[in-house]
Amino acid sequence: SSDLTQPPSVSVSPGQTATITCSGDKLRNKYVSWYQQKPGQSPVLVMFHDTKRPSGIPARFSGSNSGNTATLTISGTQAMDEADYHCQAWDSSTASMFGGGTKLTVL
Amino acid sequence: QVQLVQSGAELKKPGASVKISCKASNYTLTMYGITWVRQAPGQGLEWMGWISGYNGKTDYAQKFEGRVTMTTDTSTRTASMELRSLRSDDTAVYYCAKSDYYDTSGYYAYWGQGTLVSVSS
């Protein structure tokens, strides 16, 4: 089990907006990152510090963190976005944690 | 380009130990940390612990305390993770990842390719 809760699966039609949530106690007091993982591959960072996109990540990816819930939003979802998405939370302490992961299906 | 290259797949018997290495290149290991994450088959990511490349400080997930040791060797630019008393539920892909800070785990912009550890009698 994880202290961060994600929906196991989310489905979206191509071109629509996908929303993936990550819930945890006082999550707003932590930094949240998001990772995309395709089958057989290592995770890829798509969002850090709640709202920042690494270089090379398309602008259709955005993030937010408020209260006890962080959200990864993919606008104009494309077939290539189909993957597992994992949230991660950390703060000034050295420990960290991941959510259980969400399988995004684009159909 | 930052690279993390991990050692190869391992097959271990229950009760044995495994040590995985992670060789860093194109960045200064002492300025950042290394985090270890594992993923059991069909499961999510699990944070195992972190080590500072600066001073060797470690922080292990409570679940692994007493069973895991993380080290770095700055002369060879290699981080290592040893897990002891292996059980079948330790079967997983183990990843090393570069922490973006030297004093906290932070987030991970670079990952190794993963090392499959299979535990079976």
Side-chain angles (χ1 to χ4, degrees):
Chain A
S1 64
S2 169
D3 291 338
L4 297 179
T5 302
Q6 297 183 236
S9 62
V10 168
S11 297
V12 65
S13 300
Q16 299 305 301
T17 297
T19 301
I20 302 172
T21 58
C22 174
S23 299
D25 187 42
K26 300 178 182 177
L27 195 55
R28 183 61 187 96
N29 295 334
K30 299 180 183 289
Y31 291 112
V32 174
S33 308
W34 291 90
Y35 302 86
Q36 176 193 72
Q37 187 181 30
K38 297 183 178 180
Q41 298 183 17
S42 300
V44 172
L45 179 70
V46 296
M47 199 67 56
F48 67 100
H49 285 184
D50 301 337
T51 61
K52 300 185 187 303
R53 274 182 298 107
S55 172
I57 300 302
R60 63 179 180 273
F61 287 83
S62 63
S64 65
N65 184 9
S66 177
N68 294 328
T69 301
T71 302
L72 177 70
T73 302
I74 310 172
S75 305
T77 307
Q78 300 183 9
M80 68 172 65
D81 300 328
E82 185 164 288
D84 292 331
Y85 289 84
H86 308 272
C87 65
Q88 177 224 349
W90 62 278
D91 57 19
S92 58
S93 71
T94 53
S96 182
M97 66 180 78
F98 285 97
T102 297
K103 181 177 180 60
L104 176 67
T105 301
V106 182
L107 39 69
Chain B
Q1 174 74 326
V2 170
Q3 277 196 315
L4 297 170
V5 179
Q6 298 182 223
S7 50
E10 302 265 11
L11 175 59
K12 296 292 183 180
K13 294 191 182 302
S17 299
V18 68
K19 189 171 186 177
I20 302 168
S21 66
C22 170
K23 187 169 179 62
S25 59
N26 299 321
Y27 79 96
T28 304
L29 184 60
T30 55
M31 293 179 64
Y32 301 93
I34 290 284
T35 290
W36 290 88
V37 176
R38 76 177 187 180
Q39 186 171 37
Q43 302 300 308
L45 303 175
E46 182 174 27
W47 191 86
M48 298 182 67
W50 164 88
I51 181 167
S52 170
Y54 175 69
N55 57 13
K57 176 184 175 183
T58 56
D59 190 358
Y60 302 140
Q62 189 172 10
K63 174 178 181 177
F64 300 103
E65 281 279 7
R67 208 160 66 95
V68 70
T69 301
M70 296 176 187
T71 57
T72 58
D73 183 339
T74 54
S75 66
T76 60
R77 307 175 75 166
T78 300
S80 298
M81 186 281 296
E82 182 182 38
L83 187 62
R84 299 177 291 278
S85 301
L86 290 169
R87 308 183 287 255
S88 58
D89 61 359
D90 290 317
T91 294
V93 175
Y94 290 75
Y95 294 99
C96 63
K98 172 182 171 286
S99 298
D100 237 43
Y101 303 91
Y102 74 89
D103 59 351
T104 186
S105 182
Y107 60 91
Y108 321 122
Y110 298 97
W111 294 68
Q113 82 276 21
T115 296
L116 175 62
V117 175
S118 301
V119 183
S120 174
S121 55

